[in-house]
Structures are given as C-alpha cells and as structure tokens.
Amino acid sequence: MIPDLNISLESERTLLRPLTKDDEPALQEIANEESLWIYGTSDLSRPGELKKYIASAIADRMNGSCAVWVVIDKRSGNIAGCTRLADISWKDERGQIGWTWIGNDFQGSGLNRDMKFLILSYGFEILGLNRIELKADERNHRSRQAILGIGATCEGVLREHIKLHDGYIRNTVYYSILRSEWETIKEQYFSNFIMYE
C-alpha cells in the first residue's frame, strides 16, 4: 500500500507544507526571478508555466510517485520556493530529491540544507526507501558542491542527458545516498538539525 504523501515536514527553521493550487500567486513572485531557470528544464517565469507545473506535481502526488512541498522559511514566515521527493519507485525503494527552487533572498541561508535533511529523514526513516538520488547540471557548480556537502556520493555523468527549456542539452551529474549510509551521514553532516514530528 502506498503511504499518504500529502504530509508536512518541519524543523526549527523550515516548514515543508504540501503544495496546493492556492500557492500559485505567492510562488509566481519567486518564479519571476529569471536567474532561477538558467539550468532548468522549464522556465516558470513564463506566463502559464507555473500553473502547469503545479497541476503536474499534484497529479504525481495523487498517483503516489511524488511528495511535493512549498518551502516556508520560518524565520521570516515567507514562502521561499518549492521542492520534491519524486520519481518514487516503491518496488525498487528509490526516490529522487529535486525540482528544488528557492528565491535568491533565501539562497546561501542554510534553508536548502535544512530542507534536504527533512526530506532525507522522511525518505529513509518514514517511507523506508533504500536509495535517494540527486542530480545536477554539470555546469551548476554551486548545486554540485551543496549536494556533496550533505554527504552524497557522486556516481558519474550522463552525457547530453536532458534538453533544457532554452534548447541546451546538458550533461547530468548523478549522486546518491543509501539507507545503509544515512545514520553516519546524519551524524556527520546534520548533527545540529532537529526534525519536529
């Protein structure tokens, strides 16, 4: 039986609340920051794109392959962006953290790291996944360093893997964390983080 993926996750710093259609206006303000889509498969600053994005994400949640959240920075009380645990394969006990975008005001603030801890904890400890993947555009050095900074293992590069909204075909770097590694990674990289039930 597929568990309910319509769940909130919370820490001292961050609230991940299930995405709804009503979140579109607040998210559109952030999505209008065109710099967010340099490495994106879509450009949510374009008219109508965010509406389609939200509808697709909610449909994926309903079919049991995705948990999708609005990211709320509890320090300011503001919506900061959106993220997912997606491409869930229950048979293979695998999922992927991705589709993460947060406004420029929140980048480098520690919010991204905090939400990764929440999602990893949820994936391994609640959903019982064995493997959680992360991917990045080979050119996105900031994202790649952030992924390594949470203890993920780089597994290699898929050449000319994904076509972006601007027509560029990117190389994709794959990373993963395994359930057998999670307790050590949690202790080494997330020892100061507190998850609220």
Side-chain angles (χ1 to χ4, degrees), residues 27 63-64 73 94 138 156 190 193:
L27 286 173
N63 73 28
D73 173 47
R94 180 184 72 235
E138 187 179 43
F190 298 103
F193 289 75

Side-chain angles (χ1 to χ4, degrees), residues 9-16 71-78 109-111 113-115 117-118 121 190-197:
L9 306 176
E10 187 174 3
S11 69
E12 187 176 293
R13 170 74 194 278
T14 308
L15 172 63
L16 300 181
V71 180
I72 298 171
D73 173 47
K74 289 172 64 176
R75 290 181 183 171
S76 66
N78 293 328
S109 70
L111 186 66
R113 184 181 183 87
D114 198 66
M115 68 175 143
F117 168 72
L118 288 171
S121 297
F190 298 103
S191 59
N192 296 329
F193 289 75
I194 301 168
M195 180 176 180
Y196 295 150
E197 296 288 333

Side-chain angles (χ1 to χ4, degrees), residues 39 137-146:
Y39 304 110
D137 187 312
E138 187 179 43
R139 301 167 300 162
N140 191 346
H141 297 289
R142 183 175 184 175
S143 180
R144 291 174 60 190
Q145 287 304 310

Side-chain angles (χ1 to χ4, degrees), residues 75-112:
R75 290 181 183 171
S76 66
N78 293 328
I79 288 179
C82 197
T83 192
R84 301 187 205 184
L85 176 60
D87 285 349
I88 299 172
S89 169
W90 299 106
K91 173 184 172 291
D92 301 310
E93 300 178 355
R94 180 184 72 235
Q96 179 190 331
I97 295 176
W99 296 265
T100 301
W101 47 281
I102 58 174
N104 290 317
D105 289 347
F106 301 97
Q107 293 179 20
S109 70
L111 186 66
N112 188 40

Side-chain angles (χ1 to χ4, degrees), residues 4-90:
D4 181 14
L5 298 172
N6 198 38
I7 187 170
S8 294
L9 306 176
E10 187 174 3
S11 69
E12 187 176 293
R13 170 74 194 278
T14 308
L15 172 63
L16 300 181
R17 175 180 55 69
L19 175 69
T20 72
K21 291 178 181 177
D22 294 338
D23 293 313
E24 183 182 348
L27 286 173
Q28 189 65 66
E29 287 186 34
I30 300 162
N32 288 338
E33 298 176 20
E34 293 180 13
S35 62
L36 295 178
W37 315 115
I38 293 170
Y39 304 110
T41 56
S42 57
D43 179 351
L44 301 186
S45 69
R46 294 178 180 167
E49 289 300 307
L50 181 60
K51 184 181 290 293
K52 290 189 286 188
Y53 177 93
I54 291 172
S56 174
I58 291 173
D60 286 347
R61 181 173 64 207
M62 290 176 66
N63 73 28
S65 65
C66 165
V68 58
W69 298 280
V70 168
V71 180
I72 298 171
D73 173 47
K74 289 172 64 176
R75 290 181 183 171
S76 66
N78 293 328
I79 288 179
C82 197
T83 192
R84 301 187 205 184
L85 176 60
D87 285 349
I88 299 172
S89 169
W90 299 106

Side-chain angles (χ1 to χ4, degrees), residues 157-170:
V157 179
L158 296 187
R159 300 178 302 154
E160 297 189 6
H161 178 231
I162 295 175
K163 190 172 187 177
L164 305 186
H165 67 86
D166 61 1
Y168 182 84
I169 301 177
R170 81 177 198 189

Side-chain angles (χ1 to χ4, degrees), residues 113 134 141-155 173-177 185 189:
R113 184 181 183 87
L134 303 100
H141 297 289
R142 183 175 184 175
S143 180
R144 291 174 60 190
Q145 287 304 310
I147 292 169
L148 290 172
I150 60 169
T153 296
C154 181
E155 296 181 325
V173 187
Y174 262 79
Y175 302 83
S176 71
I177 295 174
I185 285 172
Y189 294 90

